[in-house]
Amino acid sequence: MSYCINPHCPKPLDPANANNCICRNCGSEILLQGRYRVLKQLAKGGFGETFEVDDCGTTKVLKVLTENNSKAILHKLAICCINKS
């Protein structure tokens, strides 16, 4: 089973996407960076979502930050870098 991580996908768990590289419902990549296939969502919280992925036969975890939180974290990192220079 492949899971589409596009937050706007109308059917992220479509079984017809099992062997596809592109989601047939929204057009997003199913095979991320040509190697990571998202199998299922593990958790969802205020900062983002966590997914189980297959990397050429090895199970790994993918964490995706929500857009608002990723901008805030990048901003904090930029401030830390500026303060240290």
Side-chain angles (χ1 to χ4, degrees):
M1 174 74 78
S2 291
Y3 188 95
C4 179
I5 64 171
N6 178 352
H8 305 292
C9 183
K11 198 171 177 187
L13 286 170
D14 189 347
N17 282 331
N19 295 314
N20 293 350
C21 293
I22 303 292
C23 178
R24 68 186 212 120
N25 299 293
C26 69
S28 296
E29 282 186 77
I30 293 285
L31 193 61
L32 304 174
Q33 295 185 341
R35 70 186 268 184
Y36 302 103
R37 184 170 297 277
V38 180
L39 303 175
K40 65 181 177 180
Q41 183 180 45
L42 298 174
K44 182 175 185 174
F47 284 100
E49 299 174 83
T50 306
F51 299 94
E52 180 180 316
V53 299
D54 175 74
D55 179 16
C56 303
T58 302
T59 302
K60 296 185 178 179
V61 173
L62 169 70
K63 294 185 180 183
V64 179
L65 297 176
T66 59
E67 187 174 340
N68 292 337
N69 290 312
S70 61
K71 288 179 182 177
I73 290 170
L74 289 174
H75 180 70
K76 287 179 184 176
L77 287 173
I79 290 172
C80 289
C81 290
I82 290 170
N83 289 337
K84 289 182 180 182
S85 31

